[in-house]
Amino acid sequence: MRQVAKYASTIIVLLGILIFRDNQSSFVVPTLGLIGSLSAIYLLCQPLRENVKTSGILLFWLAPLALLWLLSERREGRDINSTSITIELALAGIGTVLLVSKEGLKKSDWSLFLAIFLTWAVAYLSGSSGGADQMVPFFDFLGLSVDQLNNLIIVIRKTIHVSFYGTLGYLFLTYLSDKVADRRSLFWFPFLFCIAISIADEGRQSLMPNRGGSVSDVFLDLAATLLVLFVVAKKRAKIKP
């Protein structure tokens, strides 16, 4: 029964989005892709799949992620069924209850929770309200020319990309470090989590009229993640006897 619940966690989150006709739009596709890919990566990693808290973690992670993306789409004027939003909110609550009702959380679990909060932040900030144009008013006081201001914003945004995905990769690796014995898996699973999030986020932005997805941003996210994972994994390998 416990094994079924792990897979059912993902399925019911997906059904909560898909079951209503109003939600059959291209804007929902990246949400489904992200939730499906994160679930697949998590469940393919045997130590994670066998964790007693897996069903709770997946619901706690995925339902709010879907909820935030659905609310973002609705805020931007697209048809998203209210029942889907209610379902995802209820699932988020169930996931939270399952998570806190299990045996005590370990110190390393907080790394995963911080990573989860960052993925929620992406879901909230990557909508139309989070584009480069929204950053311009914050730097008007500098008195820069249009070109200088645009260049400054580009630098800031790329720095955010590098910092965010580097941090995300580090948090996933920290969480997995005492659960995954194989060094290659310890490296690749955090990498896959980060790239799945990056691709889904840029794919979502490519569907928005006032934003644009960027392949170069995906490669930047990939490079930042790889660099951090390589440095941290190599450092930890030297420390271990």
Side-chain angles (χ1 to χ4, degrees):
M1 186 67 181
R2 183 182 298 168
Q3 294 295 329
V4 174
K6 295 173 183 179
Y7 296 97
S9 297
T10 301
I11 294 172
I12 58 179
V13 171
L14 293 173
L15 287 177
I17 303 171
L18 278 175
I19 199 169
F20 300 102
R21 185 175 301 175
D22 288 349
N23 294 345
Q24 306 296 324
S25 71
S26 60
F27 294 99
V28 176
V29 173
T31 312
L32 300 177
L34 177 58
I35 291 171
S37 59
L38 292 178
S39 301
I41 296 167
Y42 197 101
L43 294 171
L44 282 172
C45 185
Q46 184 175 356
L48 298 183
R49 184 174 67 247
E50 298 303 321
N51 190 328
V52 68
K53 296 190 290 285
T54 291
S55 56
I57 288 173
L58 287 176
L59 277 180
F60 176 78
W61 185 1
L62 302 177
L65 190 61
L67 176 64
L68 286 168
W69 275 29
L70 290 174
L71 287 173
S72 176
E73 301 299 342
R74 177 181 247 192
R75 185 175 66 245
E76 290 154 18
R78 288 180 277 277
D79 290 332
I80 298 296
N81 195 289
S82 296
T83 312
S84 285
I85 293 175
T86 303
I87 289 175
E88 299 303 341
L89 182 61
L91 292 175
I94 293 171
T96 303
V97 170
L98 288 175
L99 201 59
V100 300
S101 65
K102 300 293 183 181
E103 58 190 32
L105 300 175
K106 297 180 180 178
K107 183 178 179 180
S108 62
D109 289 334
W110 291 103
S111 298
L112 178 64
F113 295 153
L114 289 174
I116 287 173
F117 295 150
L118 287 181
T119 64
W120 292 348
V122 171
Y124 179 77
L125 296 173
S126 66
S128 297
S129 58
D133 292 341
Q134 306 299 322
M135 298 178 67
V136 172
F138 292 102
F139 301 99
D140 282 342
F141 71 95
L142 295 175
L144 300 175
S145 66
V146 174
D147 289 340
Q148 290 174 327
L149 187 57
N150 288 337
N151 290 334
L152 174 62
I153 290 175
I154 289 173
V155 171
I156 293 174
R157 289 176 64 81
K158 301 311 176 186
T159 302
I160 291 173
H161 269 269
V162 170
S163 302
F164 175 85
Y165 282 94
T167 302
L168 196 61
Y170 172 79
L171 291 172
F172 279 127
L173 186 145
T174 300
Y175 174 67
L176 291 169
S177 60
D178 65 344
K179 298 174 176 60
V180 179
D182 181 65
R183 288 179 59 187
R184 288 177 297 180
S185 297
L186 181 60
F187 182 90
W188 284 110
F189 276 106
F191 174 75
L192 291 174
F193 277 129
C194 292
I195 294 308
I197 294 164
S198 176
I199 292 174
D201 183 45
E202 295 299 326
R204 179 189 180 204
Q205 292 181 33
S206 69
L207 297 171
M208 296 178 180
N210 60 335
R211 299 204 62 177
S214 172
V215 175
S216 63
D217 280 349
V218 173
F219 280 107
L220 182 64
D221 302 338
L222 181 153
T225 305
L226 282 176
L227 177 62
V228 170
L229 291 178
F230 178 78
V231 171
V232 175
K234 188 174 182 180
K235 184 177 179 180
R236 293 192 176 192
K238 289 181 179 179
I239 295 176
K240 289 184 178 180

